[in-house]
Structure formats: structure tokens, C-alpha cells
Amino acid sequence: MLPDFHIHTAFSGDCTTSAQAQIERCLALGMKELCITDHHDYDTGQSKEDFLLDFDAYLPFLRQLRQKYRNQILINIGVELGLQLHIQDYLENLADSLDVDYIIGSSHFIDQMDPYFSDFFDGRSEQKSYERYFEVSLKRIKALDCFDSFGHLDYIVRYGPTTNQNYSYKVYQDYIDPILKALIEKGRALECNTAGFRYHLGHPNPTEDVLKRYRQLGGELITLGSDGHSPGAIGFRFDKVRDILSECGFHYITVYHHRTPSFIPL
């Protein structure tokens, strides 16, 4: 069983599952390691900051669990950082100070709005909204050095008015290719996030065509995560994604220990 490197627990504002329950699920699935990556989205412009991670509680607790389970499974400690340019110094300093194995960089808030909520799409077409998401994500990837892998590249498609009915790599190629090239140039990984299947998109985030294009452009660093907020989501459709990644030309997935990549054959 391939390891899951995108797992949430009750330390995230949108999750109520204990870290122990997530770890036990990974054990039941036969994983050799995992990475817990709870949310930290700082200064989003929202009146209620739901996604601030209490690092003083989070890091010591996960270290205790890593010790407790040391003879059963390797518990890597990570974080999913919400990327925003106006807090660049904050994010860079935070990443440098954290003693973690892995950092996912994600675009959750665009213009201080989360596409999860329908008002993000008010006043503009779905296509213009998607284009704006990709434009902002590219700027963040180019400017920021605080992450190891870029999470769920087409996250916004989960929540669009027609989700992915009118979405494809071909339609947005001029916006997606620069993102893939920037990741490759900076030595950052691209995440294959299987939550797209749970959102009934029929594809991972990003889609197979995007994964294939990343490989064609020379991208080799590919991470794998379920974005699981409950035990039933852990490792979701990893069997299918193993085949997808192989068909796209990948021979291994990338995992991180102490912010350093290593590789697991597919």
C-alpha cells in the first residue's frame, strides 16, 4: 500500500477525526508510513480564522505519537500551508522554523475568498473564476519557497457551478502549463490528490492529462495524498492512481523526510 502524505486530523479546523484514528486506518491498510498535514491558513481576511494551526500543541503531540507507533509505522509530521503573497515573509520564516518532514503549499483563498463558498463565483463566469485561480496560483509558486509540493492544483474545480463538466486541461492549458514549468524549474513536487474521486469528479486533482503533461515537461517529483478528513478517506483509490501514474510515465512517488525527498517505486 502506497503511503498517504495528505492526511488531516482534529487539529485542522475542518476535521473532527483524531490523529490516532487516522493512524490506525493507515495501519489497517498496510501502509509502512504516512504524513499528517494539518491546515494552516494565516491572515485570510476572514472574520473567523478557522484554519490556524496550534503548532505548540500539534508538533509535540505528533512527536509523541511517532514514538508510540515507532515499531508499527513511520509517522511523518507535515503541514498544509495556505499560500498567499501578502504574507510571504511570514510563510518563509515559518517554514524555516518548523521541524517537520513535509510541507504542502496550497491555494485555498483567492482574493481572500475560498472557492468552497459559492460567493467566490458571484459576478464572473466559471471560466473566468478558474482562470483567476490559476493566475494567482502561478504567482505564488514563482514567488514562494516555503513548500515542498503544490497541493491539488485544480482544487477550485471541486466547487465550481458545474464542477468539471466544462473543465479540461486542453481548455486551460495556457494557464496550467506555466504552473507545471514553474514547479519543475524550482524543484518542487506536484501532488496527485485523490479527493477528486470522492467529490465525484471521476478524476484525481489534478486530472490525468495534467499529470501526463507534467511528466512530458520533465517533472518527476510526484507526491500522493488522499486529503482525508476521516478514516474512510485514507488511501482512497490509491490502487487506481498507482495505475494512472504508471500510465502517465512515472516510475515512483516522492515522499519527504526532514524536507528531503526520497522515492518509492510504483
Side-chain angles (χ1 to χ4, degrees), residues 22-33:
Q22 301 288 55
I23 293 165
E24 291 292 340
R25 178 59 176 165
C26 291
L27 278 170
L29 291 170
M31 292 183 189
K32 303 297 185 185
E33 63 179 304

Side-chain angles (χ1 to χ4, degrees), residues 218-235:
E220 295 186 279
L221 302 178
I222 193 84
T223 60
L224 178 62
S226 68
D227 211 344
H229 290 66
S230 65
I234 301 299

Side-chain angles (χ1 to χ4, degrees), residues 232-251:
I234 301 299
F236 190 74
R237 302 304 296 272
F238 275 22
D239 53 345
K240 181 177 181 63
V241 168
R242 184 196 296 266
D243 293 337
I244 288 172
L245 292 177
S246 294
E247 290 167 4
C248 289
F250 295 96
H251 301 291

Side-chain angles (χ1 to χ4, degrees), residues 32-140:
K32 303 297 185 185
E33 63 179 304
L34 64 99
C35 191
I36 294 174
T37 55
D38 278 312
H39 285 293
H40 186 65
D41 282 76
Y42 178 75
D43 196 18
T44 62
Q46 306 302 299
S47 58
K48 184 180 180 182
E49 294 282 10
D50 290 327
F51 296 106
L52 293 180
L53 185 54
D54 182 355
F55 288 105
D56 290 337
Y58 177 69
L59 296 176
F61 184 71
L62 291 190
R63 290 181 190 124
Q64 290 176 6
L65 288 178
R66 179 160 59 189
Q67 180 68 12
K68 176 181 176 180
Y69 286 92
R70 67 188 183 281
N71 295 323
Q72 301 176 70
I73 192 169
L74 173 59
I75 298 173
N76 297 291
I77 301 172
V79 60
E80 183 177 9
L81 288 184
L83 303 181
Q84 297 185 92
L85 289 182
H86 75 278
I87 54 169
Q88 179 171 356
D89 290 344
Y90 169 83
L91 290 173
E92 303 290 5
N93 291 333
L94 176 65
D96 288 342
S97 70
L98 290 175
D99 181 15
V100 296
D101 293 291
Y102 175 52
I103 298 178
I104 301 172
S106 295
S107 281
H108 291 132
F109 288 83
I110 305 295
D111 303 321
Q112 299 191 312
M113 292 186 291
D114 189 339
Y116 178 84
F117 298 102
S118 60
D119 57 358
F120 177 85
F121 299 91
D122 289 348
R124 58 184 164 191
S125 69
E126 181 179 71
Q127 181 167 341
K128 290 297 183 183
S129 298
Y130 287 7
E131 290 172 355
R132 177 62 178 161
Y133 180 86
F134 292 132
E135 287 171 347
V136 171
S137 294
L138 175 61
K139 291 177 181 178
R140 292 169 174 175

